[in-house]
């Protein structure tokens, strides 16, 4: 490689890999100030439809994203209905792909090869366990043999994924595993560093208040990996609440991808929880704009308080409806949303 690029100017080298911790550590050691790390998550719904069926809905994805830029309820409804009209002939196929993703997720190989049953489960499980070996066990030499020998990491991963995306705390994790709170926090942060799981903070208008809140939410990088780890076998049906959590995880992962695309890493992951049943699944923060999103399967719950002018409820709905300040939007519209710069990239590729 050195011989091939020697003497050339303006050379860019792209290095890909699943070992996020290893890559970051080695790059920081040798290339400080001369590299950028890009987050590459699972496929979006638009990408999956393109790869699997050749259906290109990137322009429609840009229109779907523009919903998040509106401040008035009527404008949001108008744009959502416009997107719904544009994708009408693909609705059945899109909805079936979402329902398939509830079980197998959006990892590129799973989608491209249309893997299912044991083929999908084995591949998805390998993603998780190989990543654990690369990102934690090998790196564990730097923090002591105790972590390297511990089986608690795998147990923690399984417990967190089984409960995701539910609200938890380091004390809850420590109690479930029979370890100290400090150890639970160390192990948890190592798991987060692998990108297998992500942490959502409890949103507050004040940063000081936000940092003091101990509760947080955990979600999987991909719902297919989550299912493979916790069920260890193909599943063909989920209960209503379990399916609702799977849909919420898919939306959370998609929102993370959007905000990573925008390089808004500091505003990536939020939910809102006041106590009891007062909870909003996702708080999407675009600059100073707050967009609260509830993810529902079909049935609606109630939200006693909305920290915004409106609330978007995304679910397996047939149409866009309004009830006071609550806007019900078919979930495919949210999952098709793509920022304009990314949509334009795909559109340029299509024209070429």
């Amino acid at each position: 490689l050195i011989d091939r690029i020697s003497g050339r100017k303006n050379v860019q080298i792209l290095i890909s890999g699943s070992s996020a911790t290893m890559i970051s550590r080695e790059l920081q050691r040798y290339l400080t100030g001369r590299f950028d790390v890009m987050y590459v998550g699972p496929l979006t719904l638009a990408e999956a439809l393109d790869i699997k069926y050749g259906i290109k809905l990137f322009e429609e994805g840009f229109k779907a994203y523009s919903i998040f830029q509106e401040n008035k309820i009527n404008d949001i409804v108008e744009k959502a209905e416009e997107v719904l009209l544009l994708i009408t002939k693909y609705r059945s196929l899109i909805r079936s792909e979402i329902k398939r993703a509830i079980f197998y997720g959006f990892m590129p190989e799973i989608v491209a090869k249309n893997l299912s049953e044991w083929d999908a489960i084995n591949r998805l499980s390998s993603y998780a366990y190989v990543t654990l070996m690369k990102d934690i066990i090998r790196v564990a030499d730097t923090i002591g043999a105790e972590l390297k020998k511990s089986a608690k990491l795998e147990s923690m991963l399984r417990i967190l994924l089984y409960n995701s995306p539910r609200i938890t705390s380091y004390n809850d994790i420590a109690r479930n595993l029979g370890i100290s709170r400090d150890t639970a926090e160390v192990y948890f942060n190592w798991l987060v560093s692998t990108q297998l799981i992500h942490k959502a903070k409890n949103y507050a208008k004040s940063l000081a208040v936000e940092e003091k809140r101990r509760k947080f939410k955990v979600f999987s990088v991909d719902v297919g990996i989550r299912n493979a780890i916790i069920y260890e076998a193909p599943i063909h049906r989920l209960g209503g609440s379990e399916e609702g959590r799977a849909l919420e995880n898919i939306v959370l992962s998609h929102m993370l991808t959007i905000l990573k695309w925008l390089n808004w890493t500091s505003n990536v992951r939020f939910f809102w929880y006041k106590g009891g049943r007062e909870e909003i699944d996702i708080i999407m923060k675009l600059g100073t704009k707050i967009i609260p999103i509830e993810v529902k399967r079909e049935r609606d719950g109630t939200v006693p308080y909305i920290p915004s002018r409106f609330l978007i409820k995304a679910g397996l709905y047939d149409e866009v409806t309004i009830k006071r300040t609550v806007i019900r939007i078919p979930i495919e519209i949210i999952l098709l949303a793509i920022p304009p710069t990314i949509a334009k990239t795909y559109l340029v590729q299509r024209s070429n």
Side-chain angles (χ1 to χ4, degrees), residues 65-110:
Y65 176 80
S66 67
I67 290 171
F68 301 136
Q69 299 173 312
E70 297 297 339
N71 294 308
K72 297 180 179 179
I73 291 176
N74 289 339
D75 293 338
I76 293 172
V77 171
E78 183 179 336
K79 289 202 171 181
E81 289 178 337
E82 181 183 353
V83 174
L84 209 57
L85 184 62
L86 290 170
I87 65 173
T88 297
K89 64 179 179 180
Y90 303 118
R91 281 291 298 282
S92 178
L93 188 61
I94 293 171
R95 187 61 66 88
S96 67
E97 194 61 27
I98 292 172
K99 289 184 176 180
R100 185 182 186 282
I102 288 172
F103 300 105
Y104 300 115
F106 282 122
M107 293 300 285
E109 186 177 8
I110 303 301

Side-chain angles (χ1 to χ4, degrees), residues 92-292:
S92 178
L93 188 61
I94 293 171
R95 187 61 66 88
S96 67
E97 194 61 27
I98 292 172
K99 289 184 176 180
R100 185 182 186 282
I102 288 172
F103 300 105
Y104 300 115
F106 282 122
M107 293 300 285
E109 186 177 8
I110 303 301
V111 173
K113 295 182 179 179
N114 200 25
L115 298 182
S116 61
E117 300 293 328
W118 281 107
D119 290 336
I121 296 301
N122 291 333
R123 176 55 65 189
L124 290 164
S125 297
S126 73
Y127 291 152
Y129 290 119
V130 169
T131 299
L132 276 178
M133 290 299 293
K134 285 183 179 179
D135 273 10
I136 295 181
I137 305 303
R138 285 173 59 189
V139 181
D141 286 327
T142 64
I143 60 171
E146 182 180 351
L147 179 59
K148 187 172 182 180
K149 295 178 181 178
S150 176
K152 296 292 186 181
L153 280 168
E154 182 180 342
S155 298
M156 179 181 287
L157 178 64
R158 293 176 64 86
I159 289 172
L160 290 172
L161 291 179
Y162 181 78
N163 290 319
S164 69
R166 288 176 176 164
I167 298 168
T168 188
S169 68
Y170 293 127
N171 288 330
D172 292 339
I173 297 170
R175 189 163 45 250
N176 287 331
L177 290 171
I179 58 178
S180 71
R181 184 211 175 275
D182 290 344
T183 301
E185 185 173 358
V186 170
Y187 282 24
F188 177 84
N189 288 332
W190 273 95
L191 285 177
V192 170
S193 74
T194 68
Q195 306 283 337
L196 285 171
I197 60 172
H198 297 288
K199 177 183 177 181
K201 294 181 179 181
N202 191 354
Y203 171 78
K205 291 182 179 179
S206 165
L207 183 60
V209 173
E210 183 180 288
E211 291 301 321
K212 289 180 181 178
R213 291 183 171 176
R214 297 179 180 180
K215 296 289 185 179
F216 55 86
K217 185 180 288 189
V218 177
F219 62 100
S220 174
V221 63
D222 178 74
V223 75
I225 291 178
R226 170 189 180 272
N227 293 338
I229 297 302
I230 65 177
Y231 294 114
E232 299 183 304
I235 51 176
H236 305 97
R237 187 178 180 278
L238 291 172
S241 61
E242 182 68 13
E243 187 172 296
R245 287 201 299 274
L247 285 169
E248 182 183 342
N249 201 121
I250 290 171
V251 175
L252 277 162
S253 182
H254 180 65
M255 294 304 176
L256 173 61
T257 297
I258 286 179
L259 292 169
K260 288 283 189 178
W261 274 337
L262 295 170
N263 290 324
W264 288 346
T265 54
S266 61
N267 299 330
V268 168
R269 303 174 286 272
F270 293 97
F271 71 104
W272 181 83
Y273 177 69
K274 192 175 180 181
R277 295 186 176 182
E278 296 191 72
E279 177 193 352
I280 294 177
D281 294 334
I282 302 166
I283 298 292
M284 187 173 180
K285 190 176 178 183
L286 297 175
T288 58
K289 186 177 175 62
I290 301 300
I291 304 167

